Amino acid sequence: MELAKPTREKRAKQPHTRSQTGCRTCRSRRVKCDGDRPSCSRCIKAGRFCDFGIPNLPLRDRRALPLPGQQAWFVHSNQLQPIFWHTPLESNSIDPFESLEVKLPFKSKELLRYFHHSLDALEPCPQWKDIDILPFLYQNPDALRNTLLVAGPHYAWIVGDMQAFETTFLYHKIETIRLLNEWLDRPQPGGLATVMTQITTLCLAECAFGNMAAAETHLDGLMTVIDLHRPLNSAIDVATEPGEDLAYRYLIIMCHLLYGIKSRIHSSKILRSIFRRHRVANFMELVSLLHDWHDQDIGCLEQRLKAVALTPFFFGALPQGARIHAVDGFTIIKCLRVVTQSTCPPHQKHVRSDPSWVWAEGSASRLDLAIVDSHVESLFGPDKLDPKSDSLGQRLMTSWTGIAITAGLYLHCILDLWNAGEPIDHRLFRRLMTMLMHDLEQSVDDEVKDEYSSNLWFWKVFIGACSLEWHQMCAYDPAVQTLSACFDAFIKTWSQISKVSRWVEAERRLLKIAWPTTPAQDMAERVWHRVIKQARNCDYHTG
């Protein structure tokens, strides 16, 4: 009798569904994706580029795309060209957005129109309210794309969400990355300034949306590109391409925004909880918190929005023969003085406030706006100067690059309010210090003009020397030693000309610009005594 073979029950297969919301990177690797935009958590953790592909455009945008034979509004090539300040569009047009040489899809045009009118509504800087920058940018696709990438987060911060223009923003972001990759694969002469500006804009946009990890990844990539195409052994104080001078300035102001936000997060328990996952915040949660703080007069959010609204002034290139003007640094110095005072809360109730008093008081945000505002001032010359001066009726005339870099270094190594107390990227730090050194060499005559000019020059020199000392203590870099020797020589020269050898007198000069009275700056005093001792030993051996 033949026994029946036992039948094995076939296990029913679970239906496999492929995610339609995950990024292309995770889908190609066949791993689960949480679909967080602009970068999913899995890609951030693994350090991979998170690609969601080009989103489907709304019907109105698809209809607005150019038909065959019409001019495309994107430049689909790696021939990235800078934009020059030139004659703007005629102002008698009924709608200037309808007469653009660069054609825009409907939603892009709406976002640009919002940003255009927001400048008037916010009145970012009253002294520049009659200067309309956007018409200068309308005829260049790269400058327009940068403007739209800035307009997106600006709109989101004002309204509270990005829903109306999320697809438009992602479209421009992905197109920017595509064009950057094309240029990096096949670099072309004349495109570095544009590439620098575009990467800086991506960094700024990610930072504004609370994705600090992506912002710092862009910054790391930017420094790699700059070091590859403009090594530090070249004369970086002379721009070899149109627009590079403004591109470096844009990098400086982006550092102010990025490193300032990092320190804000570090000092606030509430913000640290929001950024708890891979240094990426939930944007809705973040913007809701900051709007609540704004309603309580905490942090001066509107000042930072005004600073962002002026960033298009960094997107152009000066015409041949034009020059950058000196600026009155008094407004920046005044903001630094208030920031310095804010490090010591006026009342006991402010000691444990969240955010800390130095950020809640708002002077740090006003400083960002003052730095961007002074950049605009340098473009249009001293005839646009406001009647602002210090209590003695003097002006603190200086180059924008020198005072902007020194202000950041002062926040970093003296007040510990930059980059959450961490050392600056060594490549970026060397480049900033080299730019500051060139600026000091070009303005060396200021040390003998008058006492105020001499004090400002010495303040920039000494902050640079302290930054080099602090950086070497945190992360020693042999390449920085040559810079340290240059700044030590600057201090020795100033000491001899000003006949100042005692630290008490040197500190009194620093206090006339911006300097903390408490706690004692042991590192600064150590730097001073070391340099003076070297000078005396040199004089002894020479004698």
Side-chain angles (χ1 to χ4, degrees), residues 332-469:
I332 295 176
I333 294 299
K334 183 171 64 174
C335 290
L336 284 173
R337 291 171 180 172
V338 179
V339 172
T340 303
Q341 295 172 356
S342 300
T343 57
C344 299
H347 303 291
Q348 188 64 28
K349 65 179 181 179
H350 296 142
V351 174
R352 297 184 178 181
S353 63
D354 193 349
S356 59
W357 175 249
V358 68
W359 303 114
E361 185 270 337
S363 57
S365 297
R366 290 190 290 271
L367 172 64
D368 291 337
L369 178 58
I371 292 174
V372 179
D373 183 22
S374 65
H375 161 72
V376 182
E377 178 182 299
S378 71
L379 296 179
F380 293 94
D383 57 321
K384 291 285 186 179
L385 288 174
D386 272 352
K388 54 176 182 268
S389 61
D390 66 359
S391 58
L392 299 179
Q394 306 250 346
R395 291 192 183 279
L396 297 175
M397 300 308 295
T398 177
S399 72
W400 184 91
T401 300
I403 196 166
I405 292 176
T406 310
L409 298 176
Y410 178 77
L411 295 175
H412 188 228
C413 73
I414 304 299
L415 299 184
D416 194 22
L417 296 177
W418 234 38
N419 203 31
E422 300 174 359
I424 302 173
D425 177 273
H426 66 281
R427 299 164 300 175
L428 174 61
F429 179 74
R430 288 202 308 270
R431 195 161 294 270
L432 292 176
M433 294 305 303
T434 304
M435 295 170 70
L436 179 58
M437 181 186 69
H438 288 317
D439 175 77
L440 291 168
E441 289 174 343
Q442 293 175 352
S443 61
V444 69
D445 292 340
D446 289 347
E447 63 179 329
V448 295
K449 276 185 179 179
D450 54 69
E451 183 178 350
Y452 247 60
S453 298
S454 175
N455 291 342
L456 179 62
W457 191 86
F458 169 61
W459 178 77
K460 291 191 288 186
V461 167
F462 196 71
I463 295 299
C466 289
S467 296
L468 289 164
E469 181 84 5

Side-chain angles (χ1 to χ4, degrees), residues 284-311:
M284 296 299 296
E285 187 178 358
L286 175 63
V287 75
S288 176
L289 171 66
L290 294 186
H291 274 244
D292 289 343
W293 281 350
H294 175 67
D295 293 339
Q296 303 172 42
D297 293 328
I298 296 176
C300 284
L301 174 62
E302 72 280 1
Q303 301 295 318
R304 298 184 69 80
L305 288 171
K306 293 173 183 178
V308 171
L310 285 176
T311 52

